[in-house]
Amino acid sequence: MARDETEERDTGESLERLNQNLARMEELSKRLVAALSARKPGDAGLEGPGQELMLKTGMAIWQEALTNPAKLMERQVSYWSQTLTQYMELQKELSQGHFALPATEDAPQDKRFSNPLWQTHPFFHTIKTQYMISAEAMRSAVAELDGLSPRDKKKVAFFAGQIIDLFAPTNYLATNPDALEKAVQTDGESLVKGLENLVRDLEARHGEILPVLADPTAFHVGENLATAKGAVVFRNQMFELIQYAATTEKVHQTPLVIFPPWINKFYILDLKPQNSLIQWIVDQGYTLFVVSWKNPDASYAETGFETYIEDGYLKAIDVACAVSGQDQVNAVGYCVAGTTLALTLALKAKRGQARVKSATFFTTLSDFSDQGEFTPFLDSDFVDAIERQVEAEGYLDSHYMSKTFSYLRAKDLVYGPAVRSYMLGEPPPAFDLLFWNGDSTNLPGKMTVQYLRGLCQDNGFSADGFALMGEKLHVSDVRLPICAIACETDHIAAWKDSFLGIVQMGSKDKTFILSESGHIAGIVNPPAKKKYGHWRGPEPIGTPDAWKEAATYHEGSWWPHWEAWLSKRAGKKVPARALGNESYPATDPAPGSYVREIVTG
């Protein structure tokens, strides 16, 4: 009797918790509706493929059906055959009173389907297998579709991939065994927490569904991120210039200036002491200056590359020279800041100026003839919509860049986090890299259009020249010693495209390094971790594949090899310098104030 009473009590408590959770969900549902209603209708050109692409695709499919119906029927019959075979195998297993899929060693691993129930449970196995069959059928149909240009086919393949990722069964509660199991185990508590997370994100993003990737309360810039010691020695409307405190008794005579991209904030190079490139450079005996860009709002609508170069690059170089008492600096540009550094160097060459002794380019594009995975976002339908947006707002809100980069890796940066947060009810992780990734910045209206039209679409810098500041700038105008680091799996600045731009530069002294990993991990790769290796080879000429074939692979980080290259161009050692001088005194401690700004309009 006692046991029965205990079970009855446990059942009653469980039922009470379930009813409480259902009541909380009802209240959250009201907030959910309110949050969704706050979403402003956006430009249709920013939400999906343009009508022209859909019309072209539809016509290509129709033309194929008319001219080669056998091909279309063969594809359809193959799809039916696979589906029917799956059904028959299921029936056979069930008729024998068991269900287990024979393991296949060559089956592709997909962490979305790691729960054993996807393999052993008839319902979930059927759902997963049918999804895989349908996904492959869609990919094949796009790949075999004639009547589209290679560029249009690439765009159709991208959007088809988005549909495939969206309809994965793991994205829906009824077909996600992990979410269902946890909901049962927690008496619905996981679903309540998930709904709380969803409402939180919707309210924070004004009705737009894009999951928060990292715990926003776990990190504080200047406290447990961006902690290298230094001070702001100059500030204008474009940037703060941070000089970092020397950690060695002597430093190289020629200072180093790093220009990070203004698409994100500079502290990716100083996340924590263990992987801080900024701290590592200082520890090697360099006087280091780093630019921290202003996060623009609508008042920066007319800010273009001209302003970034004149009031940004040239001014930062002048201040670094004045503070260090030198006539020249070595410079580093990362991503779009590397592209702009190349423009700056081309301009200085036209003007006969030589205040930069050498340049290093991190994951930099200067030839945009192949736009890789960004092709869907660089055709006129999307760029036209961006131009309308910046004309109306004066700037491109950081939300659009975050969304674009996220959907390039939708499985990992959209749907995976959404499942964990909204269906499993898990809090976002305390992950510094993802925190930085979400701490994005706006882009000025004029600069955005110049970049998309003049560089990406027209490929002006490596084609006929890029008109800027009264000059026609070409990548071949860059003639000083250069070192370029590209990353093997970079989906933002593909290494082969980066290589092609370096080949066209007019420098006689060129070094090219190919790091393993991607856009961030390939650059932020400290020697102590011994994680990713790199290739070093002959002078970058010819094709990227030929260069890599002739290159030698080396274990570990490329940082020491680059520093050896840089030290030969950094002059003799002199006593370590103090922060700032009389003309440019040290003011706010690093990381400054601009990096902490949150601009919403």
Side-chain angles (χ1 to χ4, degrees):
M1 179 65 73
R3 182 179 178 182
D4 292 341
E5 290 176 354
T6 300
E7 291 179 350
E8 185 177 346
R9 183 173 63 252
D10 290 344
T11 302
E13 291 174 355
S14 179
L15 183 59
E16 183 179 352
R17 286 197 301 271
L18 180 59
N19 288 331
Q20 290 173 351
N21 286 330
L22 289 172
R24 289 167 62 192
M25 291 182 72
E26 184 176 353
E27 180 60 32
L28 284 167
S29 297
K30 296 177 183 177
R31 287 176 56 194
L32 175 66
V33 172
L36 288 171
S37 65
R39 186 176 188 271
K40 297 178 182 178
D43 193 305
L46 298 174
E47 301 299 328
Q51 292 185 355
E52 182 181 358
L53 178 65
M54 291 191 285
L55 181 61
K56 286 181 180 178
T57 306
M59 291 298 295
I61 294 172
W62 180 246
Q63 184 69 22
E64 184 179 85
L66 291 176
T67 59
N68 194 358
K71 180 180 178 182
L72 188 64
M73 184 57 68
E74 180 183 0
R75 189 184 301 136
Q76 189 65 47
V77 168
S78 175
Y79 176 73
W80 289 340
S81 174
Q82 292 178 67
T83 300
L84 184 59
T85 299
Q86 179 212 2
Y87 173 76
M88 293 173 66
E89 289 176 350
L90 172 65
Q91 290 293 96
K92 178 182 176 182
E93 295 290 341
L94 292 177
S95 68
Q96 294 176 356
H98 59 81
F99 185 87
L101 182 70
T104 52
E105 294 182 1
D106 59 344
Q109 299 299 312
D110 190 327
K111 60 184 179 182
R112 293 175 299 178
F113 302 107
S114 59
N115 190 309
L117 289 177
W118 290 111
Q119 186 81 353
T120 61
H121 193 286
F123 172 75
F124 292 115
H125 176 261
T126 302
I127 293 292
K128 183 196 79 170
T129 306
Q130 188 59 46
Y131 168 71
M132 295 296 193
I133 292 172
S134 299
E136 182 55 34
M138 186 177 292
R139 294 190 192 97
S140 298
V142 172
E144 297 171 7
L145 185 61
D146 296 325
L148 287 176
S149 68
R151 186 179 184 86
D152 284 337
K153 183 177 283 191
K154 185 179 289 187
K155 292 169 65 179
V156 172
F158 171 80
F159 290 115
Q162 295 298 309
I163 294 171
I164 290 169
D165 288 342
L166 172 63
F167 285 102
T170 48
N171 295 340
Y172 304 93
L173 177 62
T175 52
N176 186 319
D178 294 302
L180 291 170
E181 285 179 331
K182 191 166 186 180
V184 172
Q185 292 166 1
T186 62
D187 298 316
E189 179 73 15
S190 60
L191 298 180
V192 175
K193 290 182 177 178
L195 189 54
E196 287 175 342
N197 292 341
L198 174 59
V199 171
R200 175 204 64 203
D201 290 354
L202 284 170
E203 290 176 341
R205 299 184 186 278
H206 308 291
E208 183 78 33
I209 299 179
L210 197 63
V212 170
L213 298 179
D215 182 356
T217 66
F219 300 100
H220 302 279
V221 177
E223 296 178 20
N224 55 359
L225 294 175
T227 58
K229 303 300 181 184
V232 174
V233 296
F234 177 79
R235 177 187 293 117
N236 65 9
Q237 81 283 4
M238 292 302 297
F239 71 99
E240 290 178 331
L241 186 65
I242 301 169
Q243 180 186 356
Y244 284 89
T247 58
T248 55
E249 291 185 1
K250 290 192 173 184
V251 296
H252 285 281
Q253 193 172 34
T254 305
L256 180 66
V257 183
I258 296 181
F259 296 95
W262 50 88
I263 292 176
N264 293 101
K265 295 181 179 178
F266 82 90
Y267 65 86
I268 185 60
L269 301 176
D270 187 30
L271 283 179
K272 51 192 173 187
Q274 302 95 302
N275 63 358
S276 171
L277 178 58
I278 286 174
Q279 190 62 61
W280 186 87
I281 289 171
V282 172
D283 290 343
Q284 308 313 303
Y286 290 86
T287 300
L288 177 63
F289 297 86
V290 176
V291 167
S292 175
W293 297 104
K294 176 75 172 178
N295 192 355
D297 57 20
S299 66
Y300 285 72
E302 294 304 315
T303 297
F305 278 115
E306 303 90 341
T307 310
Y308 273 97
I309 291 174
E310 196 72 54
D311 297 341
Y313 285 72
L314 299 182
K315 187 62 181 178
I317 291 168
D318 286 344
V319 173
C321 285
V323 171
S324 62
Q326 298 297 306
D327 294 329
Q328 287 185 309
V329 303
N330 291 311
V332 176
Y334 192 170
C335 192
V336 67
T339 304
T340 312
L341 175 60
L343 290 170
T344 303
L345 297 175
L347 178 68
K348 291 174 78 65
K350 291 278 190 180
R351 292 178 174 178
Q353 300 170 346
R355 300 211 76 177
V356 181
K357 184 183 289 188
S358 75
T360 298
F361 299 100
F362 293 168
T363 64
T364 293
L365 296 179
S366 49
D367 183 327
F368 293 83
S369 55
D370 186 349
Q371 296 152 356
E373 295 187 44
F374 276 91
T375 296
F377 301 103
L378 293 176
D379 270 6
S380 291
D381 51 357
F382 189 79
V383 175
D384 288 348
I386 290 288
E387 191 163 9
R388 291 191 295 269
Q389 187 73 23
V390 299
E391 285 178 357
E393 302 290 338
Y395 67 99
L396 184 65
D397 192 288
S398 62
H399 162 74
Y400 293 106
M401 290 303 296
S402 296
K403 188 174 180 180
T404 298
F405 286 124
S406 292
Y407 275 93
L408 284 173
R409 292 291 182 270
K411 278 198 297 187
D412 297 326
L413 296 178
V414 179
Y415 300 116
V419 168
R420 290 190 293 271
S421 183
Y422 306 152
M423 287 201 288
L424 299 178
E426 297 175 359
F431 189 6
D432 53 3
L433 179 60
L434 290 179
F435 177 88
W436 166 84
N437 185 71
D439 190 14
S440 51
T441 57
N442 303 325
L443 299 178
K446 181 179 179 180
M447 171 264 152
T448 301
V449 175
Q450 284 177 312
Y451 181 76
L452 294 175
R453 297 288 192 202
L455 291 177
C456 295
Q457 287 191 326
D458 296 341
N459 195 25
F461 194 33
S462 68
D464 298 330
F466 186 65
L468 197 69
M469 302 171 74
E471 302 285 355
K472 198 86 164 179
L473 306 179
H474 193 271
V475 66
S476 61
D477 296 326
V478 179
R479 302 191 184 99
L480 76 176
I482 58 173
C483 180
I485 295 89
C487 299
E488 186 183 23
T489 58
D490 193 334
H491 66 288
I492 295 173
W495 82 266
K496 293 183 180 181
D497 301 327
S498 178
F499 180 93
L500 293 175
I502 298 300
V503 166
Q504 296 174 62
M505 290 184 178
S507 309
K508 294 181 180 179
D509 179 358
K510 299 180 187 177
T511 296
F512 189 83
I513 301 170
L514 177 61
S515 174
E516 288 184 310
S517 196
H519 194 71
I520 300 301
I523 297 298
V524 184
N525 181 26
K529 282 194 172 183
K530 299 180 180 179
K531 192 169 185 181
Y532 300 115
H534 63 281
W535 287 266
R536 305 198 301 261
E539 179 186 352
I541 57 176
T543 68
D545 288 331
W547 177 89
K548 189 178 180 184
E549 182 70 24
T552 303
Y553 177 80
H554 297 265
E555 298 283 352
S557 173
W558 53 267
W559 290 10
H561 179 73
W562 169 64
E563 192 278 325
W565 177 91
L566 183 65
S567 66
K568 296 175 182 178
R569 296 155 180 83
K572 63 182 182 180
K573 290 290 187 73
V574 299
R577 301 177 173 103
L579 296 177
N581 62 11
E582 186 176 346
S583 300
Y584 298 100
T587 56
D588 296 346
S593 60
Y594 282 2
V595 74
R596 292 184 171 97
E597 290 181 343
I598 300 174
V599 179
T600 57

